[in-house]
Amino acid sequence: VETALKRGFPVRVLVRDAEKARTLFGERVENAVGDVRQPRSLRGAVRGVRYVVSALGAGSGARDPENSPEHVDYAGVKALAEAAKAGGVEHFVLTSSMGVTHPDHQLNRILDNVLQWKLKGEDAVRASGLNYTIVRPGGLTNEPGGREGIRILQGDPPDVVGRISRADLAEVLVGVLGREEAYRKTFEVI
């Protein structure tokens, strides 16, 4: 959100709790109250929007079954992409994860098959008919951005491990908005 605002984009955020969003962002953004687990609540959120950046991520299904990877990283992403398509969104940018094409990845074992559900979410976006860009970051850090270079890869290589700061990932996500050369592309960033 901060990166998009700095670059001059008007921002509408999809939130479940408008008061919490006001605490975080004040009046600098427009709030659209909805929940990706309730597809009908998404229509208004995408109406009149040119770009959608999805940074959805599930919680632990063991602690909250309604917030599981299946419900958020797959069904929620699918519902958001369908709403975006119906709403005439120009470009849908999805944050996924490195490792999604490796079913035996350790994250699947410890986090309710999260990468398998993220891959299904990616496939739903690809099937939606939208112009999309899928960005698969390595491990996320809270380090400040701009300290290291960004490496872009393709093919979800199993032998590459890397990290990226959330700030640098935000620069990548906002940086591809509306760029036709990024349409229908999937790539990893570390």
Side-chain angles (χ1 to χ4, degrees), residues 136-150:
R136 296 172 171 166
L140 298 174
T141 73
N142 291 322
E143 298 297 318
R147 290 189 169 176
E148 297 185 38
I150 296 174

Side-chain angles (χ1 to χ4, degrees), residues 72-94:
V72 176
D73 295 296
Y74 166 58
V77 166
K78 183 177 188 230
L80 186 57
E82 289 171 350
K85 178 67 175 175
V89 167
E90 180 181 319
H91 188 191
F92 190 99
V93 179
L94 175 65

Side-chain angles (χ1 to χ4, degrees), residues 132-184:
Y132 67 84
T133 303
I134 297 170
V135 180
R136 296 172 171 166
L140 298 174
T141 73
N142 291 322
E143 298 297 318
R147 290 189 169 176
E148 297 185 38
I150 296 174
R151 184 174 172 199
I152 297 175
L153 309 131
Q154 282 190 299
D156 202 14
D159 56 338
V160 175
V161 177
R163 299 193 168 292
I164 186 168
S165 72
R166 286 176 171 83
D168 285 337
L169 175 59
E171 291 290 341
V172 172
L173 297 171
V174 174
V176 300
L177 291 176
R179 294 181 64 169
E180 291 183 24
E181 63 271 21
Y183 289 179
R184 295 182 177 79

Side-chain angles (χ1 to χ4, degrees), residues 18 36 39 42-43 49 53 79-80 125 167 178:
V36 295
L42 303 176
R43 293 177 188 156
V49 170
V53 176
L80 186 57
V125 170

